Amino acid sequence: MSLVVVGSVGVDTITTPFGRAEAVPGGSAVYFSLASSLFTEVRLVANVGNDFPEEPWSCLRERGVDLEGLQRFSDRPTFRWSGSYEGDMSEARTDLCELNVLVEPFAIPPAYTGTPYVFLANTDPRSQLAALETLGGEPFVFADTMNFWLTDEHRPALLALLNRIDGLICNDQEIRELTAERNLIAAARAALSLGPQMVVVKKGEHGSLLITADGEFGLPAFPTTTVVDPTGAGDSFAGGFLGSLAASPDRSPDAVRLALAYGTVTASVTVESFSIDGLAAADRELLEDRLAVFRNFTRF
Amino acid sequence: MSLVVVGSVGVDTITTPFGRAEAVPGGSAVYFSLASSLFTEVRLVANVGNDFPEEPWSCLRERGVDLEGLQRFSDRPTFRWSGSYEGDMSEARTDLCELNVLVEPFAIPPAYTGTPYVFLANTDPRSQLAALETLGGEPFVFADTMNFWLTDEHRPALLALLNRIDGLICNDQEIRELTAERNLIAAARAALSLGPQMVVVKKGEHGSLLITADGEFGLPAFPTTTVVDPTGAGDSFAGGFLGSLAASPDRSPDAVRLALAYGTVTASVTVESFSIDGLAAADRELLEDRLAVFRNFTRF
């Protein structure tokens, strides 16, 4: 079934212990679409300026991604982010962040109305709610968020969003901050009481956690030895996860678990190259091969 | 098959966000013996002073642990450690550390000679090597170590030890420091080249990793919501792991994976109570119940 992603398109400059990539394609909607389009039909909603390379769009077009929701601004630059990673690369340091076209409202095409699966990438929860409103219907909605929206100023909007979505995906520090619970399992359970039926906690090199009313499920990360650039790992993970889930009508606990494993292997492809290079070159066969390796990695 | 543990007996004072436990039983050999004796016949080597409660010994005697290697000093106090945990309790802060009887050489009974499985808990690698020498035979040896022994002063002794053991168990920071590799999988692989055939990396709430020449195996932690006191979790993990492995002659990759899962559930029992309370009250049935929960937690 089709899946719409509402997120960002960005021009990134990334420095890691393995090198530097200047003015490369990035943004949550780009990573998410490249990942989820390996599984299902994807529709993209994002704003882009006058300085984004054409290349990723041809790649996405070849994957069948619907770009009608891509709003182009010819008079302003794209969202720009510069970040660097050090040591175990578990956290990015933001060196520069220019919102540019990111502050403009999204332009959601009427043809997207009633799309059965929706992913709201991290942004102002008010924009996430507005997008959901415009999309209409009764979609299955997953949303990402981050620390910035957990302050007193933004929290009411975030809580309103949580009340409207089926699944929340965020990282371990964010779920702790959202719920004021130290223990991760307890924090994820507490987040369930805020609205969503599913909570996915991303833990980077330590894997992920899924909590639903049915119980808990935990996975380590894919055992890759070549983490070159973690940028986009979380959105690739979400794309593999929700793409897999949207690909079939099965939303049973087993299907959700398998989707999380697909998210894991998809993210592993992203982190092994700078920017979207790994993901753009990936195909479904690569993911199936990695899934087999991952099954063996976790089997006991 | 029987298993000898060479380690410490301690009197701990522990402060966590959940409370404070004053002058309670601790020490690597105590946690390890309580854990491994749920699986196999255990022989203990450690030094104790004149201020350690009798209670844990009756518990260990009931479990059949051989205490002939417990050297009692009537004129000096036991090793004392005070530590505190904050926030997510992933690391202990040492508030006080009095070595006392810990500086004395071990007294290894001649009856322990040729014990087929040996666990060398964290201590000076010279003492670990000396214990191994005295024990003789050709045992299957696992050793724990920590950052303190990775300095220039102690590293040569540690490297000599690594050359003599079958398995190394340590935490994620330690394996990174030992091998100067950032990536955990790469670090564990690099450690293999220093001697051991197996490397187990403990990651606390993030689970564990096993690397052998055959490949990699990863497990999340047991999904407990009540982490009250992490003290002894690592030694309980090692005890469940090596106890399970020593319990049968099967040392196949599958047996080693199952042993790691037993280590995981054993550690989960320890962290849910202060000091050795959880582990002392545990039985094999509890571990089997948790193993079933853990299998379901990781299944996909």
Side-chain angles (χ1 to χ4, degrees), chain A residues 17 87 176 182-183 185 189 203 205-206 216-218 223-225 254 257 261 295-300, chain B residues 17 87 176 182-183 185 189 203 205-206 216-218 223-225 254 257 261 295-300:
Chain A
R176 283 186 168 120
R182 282 183 204 95
N183 180 282
I185 306 268
R189 279 197 199 146
K203 303 192 294 172
E205 68 161 346
H206 297 302
E216 294 96 28
F217 173 51
T224 177
T225 52
D254 279 1
R257 284 169 176 241
R295 273 194 196 282
N296 185 53
F297 175 63
T298 58
R299 172 190 61 78
F300 77 88
Chain B
R176 283 184 168 120
R182 284 183 203 94
N183 181 283
I185 306 268
R189 278 196 200 149
K203 304 192 295 172
E205 68 161 346
H206 297 301
E216 293 96 30
F217 173 52
T224 176
T225 53
D254 280 2
R257 284 168 176 241
R295 273 195 195 282
N296 185 54
F297 176 62
T298 58
R299 173 190 59 77
F300 75 91

Side-chain angles (χ1 to χ4, degrees), chain B residues 61-105:
Chain B
R61 266 188 210 104
E62 275 163 36
R63 291 255 182 91
V65 175
D66 186 334
L67 299 177
E68 205 194 324
L70 182 69
Q71 183 176 209
R72 291 170 186 267
F73 292 79
S74 57
D75 59 337
R76 265 166 297 169
T78 303
F79 164 54
R80 289 201 165 241
W81 178 79
S82 295
S84 44
Y85 301 85
E86 280 171 19
D88 65 4
M89 300 195 284
S90 61
E91 233 173 317
R93 189 187 64 215
T94 293
D95 301 317
L96 174 146
C97 183
E98 292 171 354
L99 296 179
N100 302 324
V101 299
L102 218 60
V103 298
E104 298 297 328

Side-chain angles (χ1 to χ4, degrees), chain B:
Chain B
M1 282 185 275
S2 56
L3 161 59
V4 61
V5 48
V6 181
S8 66
V9 164
V11 175
D12 291 352
T13 292
I14 304 154
T15 310
T16 86
F18 296 90
R20 186 176 163 88
E22 216 145 337
V24 289
S28 57
V30 175
Y31 281 105
F32 185 93
S33 305
L34 281 170
S36 55
S37 60
L38 290 164
F39 296 88
T40 195
E41 193 198 313
V42 179
R43 298 166 174 176
L44 183 145
V45 174
N47 295 337
V48 68
N50 51 16
D51 56 345
F52 195 83
E54 260 311 303
E55 209 184 297
W57 304 129
S58 7
C59 169
L60 281 163
R61 266 188 210 104
E62 275 163 36
R63 291 255 182 91
V65 175
D66 186 334
L67 299 177
E68 205 194 324
L70 182 69
Q71 183 176 209
R72 291 170 186 267
F73 292 79
S74 57
D75 59 337
R76 265 166 297 169
T78 303
F79 164 54
R80 289 201 165 241
W81 178 79
S82 295
S84 44
Y85 301 85
E86 280 171 19
D88 65 4
M89 300 195 284
S90 61
E91 233 173 317
R93 189 187 64 215
T94 293
D95 301 317
L96 174 146
C97 183
E98 292 171 354
L99 296 179
N100 302 324
V101 299
L102 218 60
V103 298
E104 298 297 328
F106 295 113
I108 299 178
Y112 286 13
T113 304
T115 305
Y117 283 80
V118 173
F119 180 68
L120 304 169
N122 165 52
T123 187
D124 188 326
R126 292 163 199 82
S127 306
Q128 291 174 307
L129 274 166
L132 214 47
E133 200 69 38
T134 310
L135 282 164
E138 288 188 5
F140 182 80
V141 184
F142 245 86
D144 192 359
T145 193
M146 62 177 286
N147 291 26
F148 189 76
W149 312 111
L150 295 169
T151 55
D152 287 347
E153 185 191 349
H154 300 291
R155 190 176 271 263
L158 182 62
L159 292 177
L161 176 75
L162 289 173
N163 218 19
R164 287 285 308 277
I165 61 178
D166 300 277
L168 171 69
I169 186 164
C170 58
N171 75 27
D172 44 354
Q173 291 316 314
E174 288 152 7
I175 198 85
R176 283 184 168 120
E177 204 171 323
L178 172 65
T179 61
E181 282 280 355
R182 284 183 203 94
N183 181 283
L184 265 192
I185 306 268
R189 278 196 200 149
L192 279 187
S193 69
L194 299 174
Q197 325 149 19
M198 291 187 197
V199 174
V200 172
V201 183
K202 300 174 287 183
K203 304 192 295 172
E205 68 161 346
H206 297 301
S208 61
L209 200 62
L210 165 78
I211 312 277
T212 68
D214 294 330
E216 293 96 30
F217 173 52
L219 281 178
F222 185 86
T224 176
T225 53
T226 44
V227 181
V228 162
D229 172 16
T231 311
D235 292 306
S236 306
F237 178 86
F241 169 68
L242 209 59
S244 162
L245 213 54
S248 98
D250 184 6
R251 230 183 278 153
S252 67
D254 280 2
V256 177
R257 284 168 176 241
L258 180 62
L260 209 73
Y262 271 120
T264 302
V265 297
T266 309
S268 78
V269 173
T270 295
V271 302
E272 290 181 359
S273 305
F274 272 100
S275 178
I276 58 168
D277 291 358
L279 209 48
D283 57 18
R284 189 62 187 271
E285 201 187 331
L286 176 71
L287 298 188
E288 296 302 330
D289 288 350
R290 291 203 172 202
L291 187 71
V293 171
F294 191 55
R295 273 195 195 282
N296 185 54
F297 176 62
T298 58
R299 173 190 59 77
F300 75 91

Side-chain angles (χ1 to χ4, degrees), chain A residues 22-271:
Chain A
E22 217 146 336
V24 289
S28 58
V30 175
Y31 282 105
F32 185 94
S33 305
L34 281 169
S36 56
S37 60
L38 291 164
F39 296 89
T40 196
E41 192 198 313
V42 179
R43 298 165 173 176
L44 183 145
V45 173
N47 294 336
V48 69
N50 51 17
D51 56 345
F52 194 82
E54 260 310 302
E55 208 185 297
W57 304 130
S58 7
C59 170
L60 282 163
R61 266 187 210 102
E62 275 162 37
R63 292 257 181 91
V65 176
D66 186 334
L67 299 176
E68 204 193 327
L70 183 68
Q71 184 176 209
R72 290 169 185 270
F73 292 80
S74 56
D75 59 337
R76 265 165 297 170
T78 304
F79 163 54
R80 286 198 166 244
W81 179 80
S82 296
S84 43
Y85 301 85
E86 282 171 18
D88 66 1
M89 301 197 283
S90 61
E91 233 173 318
R93 190 188 62 213
T94 294
D95 301 318
L96 174 146
C97 183
E98 292 172 355
L99 295 179
N100 301 325
V101 299
L102 217 61
V103 299
E104 298 298 326
F106 295 113
I108 298 177
Y112 287 11
T113 305
T115 306
Y117 282 81
V118 174
F119 180 67
L120 305 168
N122 166 52
T123 187
D124 189 326
R126 291 163 198 83
S127 307
Q128 291 174 307
L129 273 166
L132 213 48
E133 200 70 38
T134 310
L135 283 163
E138 288 186 5
F140 181 81
V141 184
F142 245 86
D144 192 358
T145 193
M146 62 177 287
N147 292 26
F148 189 77
W149 312 111
L150 295 169
T151 55
D152 286 348
E153 184 190 350
H154 300 290
R155 191 176 271 262
L158 181 63
L159 292 177
L161 176 74
L162 289 173
N163 217 20
R164 287 284 308 278
I165 61 178
D166 300 278
L168 172 68
I169 187 164
C170 59
N171 75 27
D172 43 355
Q173 290 316 314
E174 289 152 7
I175 199 83
R176 283 186 168 120
E177 202 171 324
L178 172 65
T179 61
E181 283 279 357
R182 282 183 204 95
N183 180 282
L184 266 192
I185 306 268
R189 279 197 199 146
L192 280 186
S193 69
L194 299 174
Q197 324 147 23
M198 288 185 199
V199 173
V200 172
V201 183
K202 300 175 285 184
K203 303 192 294 172
E205 68 161 346
H206 297 302
S208 60
L209 200 62
L210 164 78
I211 311 276
T212 68
D214 295 330
E216 294 96 28
F217 173 51
L219 280 178
F222 185 86
T224 177
T225 52
T226 44
V227 181
V228 162
D229 173 16
T231 311
D235 293 306
S236 306
F237 179 87
F241 169 70
L242 210 59
S244 161
L245 213 54
S248 99
D250 183 5
R251 228 183 282 152
S252 66
D254 279 1
V256 178
R257 284 169 176 241
L258 180 62
L260 209 73
Y262 272 120
T264 302
V265 297
T266 309
S268 77
V269 173
T270 295
V271 302

